[in-house]
Amino acid sequence: QVQPVESGGGLVQPGGSLRLSCAASGRRFSSYTMAWFRQAPGKEREFVSSFSWRGGNTYYADSVKGRVSISRDNAKNTVYLQMNSLKPEDTAVYYCAASLSPNSVEKESYEYWGQGTQVTVSS
């Protein structure tokens, strides 16, 4: 069992930056693929980025590629999502997820989810 907990969301102006954090408990944290999804009101939850520590693989959705970077802090069992050049369409609740599966784009493959953190991009 792993329990991801997100933080770092908030209000930011278009073109601004935010760094989201996902802290996850568990003695085998490094075995999990960690991912970020987001969900806007009335929309389906969509993939943003993922990071497999074991394989060293990172993936990004086309909508955020070049503006987002995923990273980790092993000492804190924490995964970060650095978001730059934010756009109003990035407004959503951002969720952290964990899975033992190498699948990094399908939400159905992730077993553990955080409660989400709100990101609002507005002037």
Side-chain angles (χ1 to χ4, degrees):
Q1 292 79 15
V2 176
Q3 181 56 251
V5 179
E6 308 95 335
S7 63
L11 175 65
V12 64
Q13 295 186 166
S17 299
L18 280 176
R19 189 182 73 163
L20 306 183
S21 299
C22 175
S25 62
R27 64 183 185 274
R28 299 188 184 277
F29 180 70
S30 62
S31 298
Y32 288 85
T33 295
M34 304 298 299
W36 290 94
F37 289 77
R38 67 186 183 186
Q39 187 169 21
K43 302 292 184 64
E44 294 290 329
R45 193 169 299 186
E46 66 175 352
F47 172 80
V48 177
S49 181
S50 67
F51 188 9
S52 172
W53 291 2
R54 184 171 183 175
N57 298 317
T58 59
Y59 299 92
Y60 298 95
D62 289 340
S63 59
V64 300
K65 194 172 298 182
R67 302 187 296 119
V68 166
S69 179
I70 190 169
S71 61
R72 70 180 183 185
D73 185 332
N74 292 332
K76 293 184 176 181
N77 282 358
T78 300
V79 174
Y80 301 96
L81 188 72
Q82 178 68 45
M83 302 189 293
N84 303 315
S85 302
L86 285 165
K87 306 173 181 179
E89 50 263 45
D90 294 318
T91 296
V93 176
Y94 283 71
Y95 296 91
C96 182
S99 177
L100 291 172
S101 170
N103 191 308
S104 62
V105 300
E106 298 294 336
K107 60 181 181 295
E108 291 81 7
S109 69
Y110 289 86
E111 297 95 340
Y112 308 102
W113 294 83
Q115 295 184 4
T117 184
Q118 177 72 47
V119 172
T120 302
V121 184
S122 176
S123 60

